[in-house]
Amino acid sequence: MKPAAFAYAKARSLDDAIRLLGAHQGEAKLLAGGQSLIATLNMRLSSPSLLVDINGIAGLDGIFVKNGMVEIGAMTRHVTLERSSDIAKFAPLIARAMPHIAHPAIRNRGTIGGSLAYADPAAELPACLVALDGEIDIVGPGGKRSVKADDFFKGLFETALGPHDVLSAVRFPAADAQTRVGFAELARRHGDYALVGLAAVAKAKEIRLVYFGVGATPVRARRSEAPLASGSVDDAVKALDLDPTSDLHATGDVKKHLAGVLLRRVAGALLGNA
Ligand SMILES: Cc1cc2nc3c(=O)[nH]c(=O)nc-3n(C[C@H](O)[C@H](O)[C@H](O)COP(=O)(O)OP(=O)(O)OC[C@H]3O[C@@H](n4cnc5c(N)ncnc54)[C@H](O)[C@@H]3O)c2cc1C
């Protein structure tokens, strides 16, 4: 299929992008890697009057490690994260997740900002950012603000971004010697979106368990975190308070069972027994 007709503008700066979005009153869309957007245009699930290309804006990409934090610019491509030694060292959860995101051709263009803004409930990076207790920088007509990842994902494909906002960067604590991470997912074929996935971070006595593919947003399995932190994997699995809906790929009960399987797979790494 072909998309409906649209105009195209290349933004020269963040201010320019925000101005272009505002001038089209909710009818314009940002174009980042295009790996989700172009598919939705071609299927006519979306028909914006204007695409605002943010690929030429200087300073929107890059990986920076400073003051115990990792900051990643919105236009940083998946492939850059996958190959970065800083990500491997300071964000091992993201390093583990990257090979599960689609295929190399898509990772060459797709961006972290696009992935978070699109907020597919089965996507890896939104869950990773919640597990990392990260925050997201947003620039809009009213200036810049930061939103905790816990508060960013509002519903199915719905985030804290307004129609004239640009996600500019993400930030989260850098891994140190005390940090342990766990990542596992089940997909029908490698590179497909997950049926069920789990991104998890353990620091000292705190564990954050965040599932994807089991709800409208990343879902934190809070009731399982304390039992797991105290070393009881069986109790943590029993306490899983997930209520996944059935879809074409699996029933809710199957997904809940698989969530327990994934928790057992990552438990050893999180508890330092792997
Ligand atoms: C066949 C296929 C398989 C895939 N499999 C997976 C998978 O397994 N896991 C996974 O996570 N993803 C998967 N993807 C999606 C891929 O990771 C996309 O790259 C990503 O979801 C969107 O990033 P993008 O940069 O391409 O954004 P785009 O497609 O350009 O944009 C997506 C949406 O986000 C908005 N947007 C983009 N950037 C910003 C920004 N900085 N600020 C505000 N809004 C913005 C756009 O306006 C648009 O609405 C797959 C894609 C394909 C085509």
Side-chain angles (χ1 to χ4, degrees):
M1 280 180 75
K2 290 196 168 69
F6 57 82
Y8 169 91
K10 188 142 188 158
R12 291 180 301 271
S13 65
L14 267 179
D15 285 347
D16 196 25
I18 293 161
R19 184 187 57 75
L20 286 162
L21 290 173
H24 281 250
Q25 297 172 349
E27 293 294 313
K29 283 248 175 229
L30 295 175
L31 172 66
Q35 299 304 297
S36 298
L37 179 62
I38 299 300
T40 63
L41 298 190
N42 287 344
M43 289 187 275
R44 301 218 175 188
L45 296 170
S46 169
S47 49
S49 59
L50 173 71
L51 289 194
V52 179
D53 186 345
I54 54 174
N55 282 272
I57 300 179
L60 264 191
D61 67 342
I63 300 162
F64 310 93
V65 184
K66 54 185 174 198
N67 303 328
M69 302 293 284
V70 178
E71 186 171 305
I72 305 174
M75 285 302 293
T76 309
R77 314 264 173 205
H78 299 329
V79 66
T80 306
L81 298 173
E82 188 178 7
R83 293 182 183 167
S84 160
S85 54
D86 277 345
I87 292 295
K89 185 170 177 192
F90 297 109
L93 180 64
I94 290 188
R96 298 255 182 100
M98 289 326 294
H100 295 271
I101 299 179
H103 307 285
I106 292 158
R107 296 201 291 273
N108 282 341
R109 294 300 302 166
T111 65
I112 187 167
S115 189
L116 297 169
Y118 191 59
D120 190 298
E124 290 81 0
L125 288 173
C128 288
L129 205 67
V130 175
L132 288 162
D133 197 13
E135 58 184 22
I136 292 168
D137 288 346
I138 299 172
V139 186
K144 183 171 168 181
R145 64 192 194 277
S146 295
V147 178
K148 295 284 288 180
D150 280 333
D151 302 322
F152 180 77
F153 301 99
K154 301 283 188 199
L156 194 61
F157 297 105
E158 195 192 335
T159 69
L161 287 165
H164 308 152
D165 287 338
V166 183
L167 190 163
S168 59
V170 305
R171 203 174 311 97
F172 51 84
D176 58 23
Q178 321 307 324
T179 308
R180 293 183 294 275
V181 300
F183 184 90
E185 78 169 54
L186 292 161
R188 291 179 81 89
R189 295 168 306 187
H190 184 82
D192 280 3
Y193 277 105
L195 276 178
V196 183
L198 172 59
V201 176
K203 274 193 174 188
K205 280 280 155 202
E206 198 209 355
I207 294 184
R208 289 170 73 96
L209 299 170
V210 183
Y211 281 91
F212 49 103
V214 301
T217 62
V219 178
R220 197 164 158 199
R222 289 176 188 273
R223 285 200 209 147
S224 298
E225 291 175 351
L228 188 62
S230 64
S232 176
V233 181
D234 287 340
D235 287 349
V237 172
K238 268 189 220 134
L240 273 177
D241 51 339
L242 303 173
D243 188 18
T245 48
S246 303
D247 58 27
L248 280 177
H249 305 294
T251 64
D253 283 345
V254 166
K255 288 187 180 193
K256 190 161 179 187
H257 168 75
L258 295 176
V261 171
L262 295 184
L263 184 48
R264 290 186 190 282
R265 282 190 190 171
V266 304
L270 291 172
L271 296 172
N273 309 328

